Every structure is written in C-alpha cells, then in structure tokens.
Amino acid sequence: QQQVKQSPQSLIVQKGGISIINCAYENTAFDYFPWYQQFPGKGPALLIAIRPDVSEKKEGRFTISFNKSAKQFSLHIMDSQPGDSATYFCAALGNQGGKLIFGQGTELSVKP
Amino acid sequence: GAGVSQTPSNKVTEKGKYVELRCDPISGHTALYWYRQSLGQGPEFLIYFQGTGAADDSGLPNDRFFAVRPEGSVSTLKIQRTERGDSAVYLCASSRTGGPNQPQHFGDGTRLSIL
C-alpha cells in the first residue's frame, strides 16, 4: 500500500517528440506528488509537483496529468531534447508530510 | 550555502569499519531527511528529523544505523560495523518544514563503497 509503481523502466524518444512516464499508487493518504530528474552522479532535482485537487499542471515543457479516481499520474515532456536524457522518478508524500515514497525510476534517452 | 551539501562525496572503507556521513541542509530548513539509493533504484527513506528530534526513523534497516542532528541544522548519519550490503548512495534532503506539500530538496549524496 506504500508503493508507487512507475513505468516504463526505460524510454527512448526522438528529439522533438513527447516523452510520457506513468505512475500509480494505492494509498489514498498520499496528497502531494512530485517528479524528480536525476543525472548520473547527482542528486534528484525537483522538476514539478501536483496535488490531487487539480487534474493538470504545466511548467514550460513539463506537464503532470493527475487522475484521482484511478490513482494514477503521469509526466509528459513536450518537445523532448537530448539534454532531457536522465532518470525520472515520481514520488508521493502523505498528508502528514514526512517521508517521500519513490517509484522505481525511468531512464529516458532522447536521440538527436 | 544555496543548496544541500553532503560530505564526503565518496567514501571507500573496509567491511567492519565505522563511517560518518555529513549533511548540511538549506539554511532555515527545519526538516531534514536521509535516503539510501541503490544502483538502478529509487531513493528509499531512512530517517526524518524535525528540528533536533527524529520524527520518523522507521526506515533505518537495523541498529547499526544511527543519525543525529544535535543543533537542528547539520546532521550526521553513522553506520557501525559496515557490511558490503551497505554500499549505496546516501542522499540527504531538506524542506522548509516537515508538513504536507513541502518540496524536499536533495544534495548530491555520498557514494559509500564497502570493500
């Protein structure tokens, strides 16, 4: 019940294409859902986050779509660039704060 | 500093030795978190401090692991009698408070290798 399931494990996209990464959760006490981007040798960097009271949030080329009834959320990267090549993690935080529960990660490769 | 700072960036030691990993959070952040990341996996929670006290230590794997934050700022993660399975990247994060909807900001981690 504490898990966050992420897919796909890896993704290859052509430059200019749309990258889509999906996550699903079970625990309805989760109410904050951030996405992190991680480059090799670096820590996870916060990319964008959403709360379940909105269905979509957009920041630049990055959009989170949220389906509360299905307990699923996804990250869309529009106009993907080679510099977006990294590992992406979804995560969930409970309504009391505290620990983040991370998905397993998606290794994205954007081909020029 | 501007971000979360972790030292050392790399630590290599022999099985059975004691290690200390340090985390300096973003100035003014009252909440501090330790996570462990194995190769190809997402970070896994270890312990969370609110101020000087451990608010949740449910992720510590066993009693060889201990963490302190004596003045509510810098934290040290301590591992006794290290084992090869302890090899991982140890990440520290901080947030302004430990409450809901608080973004956690991560350091670049300490890569620990136990030979």
Side-chain angles (χ1 to χ4, degrees):
Chain A
Q1 197 178 21
Q2 283 290 331
Q3 282 186 320
V4 176
K5 294 183 179 180
Q6 184 172 346
S7 63
Q9 187 174 349
S10 63
L11 181 61
I12 299 174
V13 173
Q14 289 297 123
K15 179 182 174 183
I18 302 173
S19 304
I20 302 174
I21 304 170
N22 301 298
C23 285
Y25 65 97
E26 291 292 328
N27 190 343
T28 56
F30 291 147
D31 75 346
Y32 176 75
F33 301 88
W35 284 89
Y36 285 85
Q37 179 188 56
Q38 187 174 31
F39 292 105
K42 298 293 187 181
L46 181 64
L47 202 56
I48 186 173
I50 197 168
R51 292 204 62 213
D53 50 355
V54 299
S55 60
E56 186 175 283
K57 183 174 181 181
K58 183 176 180 179
E59 290 185 3
R61 296 185 294 110
F62 300 92
T63 300
I64 302 178
S65 297
F66 194 91
N67 185 331
K68 186 174 180 179
S69 61
K71 289 185 281 188
Q72 295 175 348
F73 57 109
S74 60
L75 176 69
H76 295 231
I77 306 174
M78 312 301 287
D79 187 26
S80 299
Q81 299 295 312
D84 297 331
S85 298
T87 300
Y88 291 81
F89 293 96
C90 62
L93 182 67
N95 53 21
Q96 300 298 310
K99 63 184 175 186
L100 281 169
I101 305 298
F102 282 85
Q104 298 88 341
T106 296
E107 189 173 355
L108 172 65
S109 178
V110 181
K111 298 299 186 186
Chain B
V4 176
S5 176
Q6 292 189 245
T7 55
S9 55
N10 286 282
K11 176 72 176 178
V12 181
T13 192
E14 293 179 343
K15 177 175 176 289
K17 298 292 187 183
Y18 168 83
V19 296
E20 289 190 352
L21 311 179
R22 176 188 166 107
C23 173
D24 201 338
I26 293 171
S27 178
H29 280 195
T30 63
L32 184 147
Y33 313 81
W34 285 98
Y35 294 83
R36 179 167 71 173
Q37 187 174 27
S38 299
L39 194 63
Q41 301 294 317
E44 292 182 323
F45 171 78
L46 295 175
I47 187 169
Y48 148 50
F49 287 90
Q50 182 58 56
T52 60
D56 182 357
D57 65 357
S58 62
L60 294 177
N62 51 59
D63 62 4
R64 295 187 298 105
F65 289 75
F66 189 71
V68 296
R69 195 186 185 199
E71 297 178 358
S73 178
V74 170
S75 176
T76 305
L77 178 65
K78 308 180 181 194
I79 311 174
Q80 298 177 321
R81 304 183 305 280
T82 52
E83 299 178 357
R84 293 200 176 89
D86 299 336
S87 296
V89 176
Y90 289 81
L91 294 165
C92 178
S94 69
S95 61
R96 195 168 56 83
T97 75
N101 310 320
Q102 289 295 310
Q104 295 183 20
H105 302 277
F106 284 79
D108 286 336
T110 294
R111 184 175 301 275
L112 178 63
S113 300
I114 309 299
L115 303 179

